[in-house]
Each structure stands twice: as structure tokens, then as C-alpha cells.
Amino acid sequence: QVQLVESGGGLVQTGGSLRLSCAASGRTFSNYAMGWFRQAPGKEREFVAAINRSGYTYYADSVKGRFTISRDNAKNSVYLQMNSLKPEDTALYYCAGGGGTTYPITTSARYGYWGQGTQVTVSS
């Protein structure tokens, strides 16, 4: 069993930056792909970024060049550095972890473990 706890959300102005953190429990963190998803009010949850066991990264087109995902296996943590934030980035951001490979890493079906979410609000 893996538990994920996000932190680092908040209110920021357009163009600002935030760093989200996700702390994972469990001894097999390094074996999991880790991802960030977000859900805005009235919209479906969408993929933001992911990092596989080898450190290869994936990004949604909407955040490419602005967001950076990273992981520290020694700390059982994954991070999302968000720069040049826009009002359309406002959402509840979820950390996710998954150990299988049946589904693409960019899809929520890949992940069996989810955090409770951290709110990011970007004011215009």
C-alpha cells in the first residue's frame, strides 16, 4: 500500500511560480511511475506531467516548457516545479503513483494510488 500526500499549493499571480511536492510512503517508491494530474471546476481531470522509473519525463502540451517534474527516490518524493503560471492553470492538483505498464503513463488508468490534492489558484 502506498499513501501520497501533496503540498505546496497556494495562490499566486499570473507569471508566478509554485513548487508542488508529493511525499510517498512505502518501500517500493522507486519502482513506480509518478504523475501529476489536475482538475478544474466543471472539467475532467487531465494529465499534467509524469516521470517513469528511469527518470524519463512526459508533459502535456499545455505545460511543456513551463513545468518540470522530478523525483528523489531517497526521499520518496516527486516534485512539480511550475513557472510562468497562467489563470488556466488554476485547478486541484493530484499526485499519482502506479506500478504497472498496461496503460500509457499519461493516462489516469496507469495509476493505482492517488493523493488528496492540493489547490493551485492563479490570479489574473
Side-chain angles (χ1 to χ4, degrees):
Q1 190 75 7
V2 175
Q3 290 186 322
L4 304 175
V5 179
E6 304 98 334
S7 61
L11 174 64
V12 64
Q13 292 185 334
T14 296
S17 298
L18 283 174
R19 187 189 192 215
L20 305 184
S21 298
C22 174
S25 65
R27 295 175 293 177
T28 57
F29 173 81
S30 61
N31 292 335
Y32 292 143
M34 299 298 297
W36 288 96
F37 290 74
R38 66 187 181 187
Q39 187 168 19
K43 295 187 177 181
E44 293 188 353
R45 185 167 55 188
E46 65 175 1
F47 168 75
V48 176
I51 185 167
N52 69 9
R53 297 183 301 173
S54 301
Y56 194 84
T57 57
Y58 306 77
Y59 296 97
D61 287 342
S62 60
V63 307
K64 203 170 293 183
R66 299 188 299 122
F67 291 11
T68 302
I69 188 171
S70 62
R71 66 190 300 163
D72 185 338
N73 290 336
K75 295 182 178 181
N76 277 13
S77 294
V78 63
Y79 308 98
L80 186 68
Q81 177 66 45
M82 305 186 295
N83 299 328
S84 301
L85 283 161
K86 306 174 181 180
E88 50 264 44
D89 294 318
T90 295
L92 188 62
Y93 282 71
Y94 295 93
C95 173
T101 58
T102 302
Y103 300 98
I105 199 171
T106 57
T107 63
S108 59
R110 174 70 174 261
Y111 302 92
Y113 303 104
W114 294 83
Q116 293 299 306
T118 185
Q119 179 67 38
V120 172
T121 303
V122 185
S123 62
S124 57

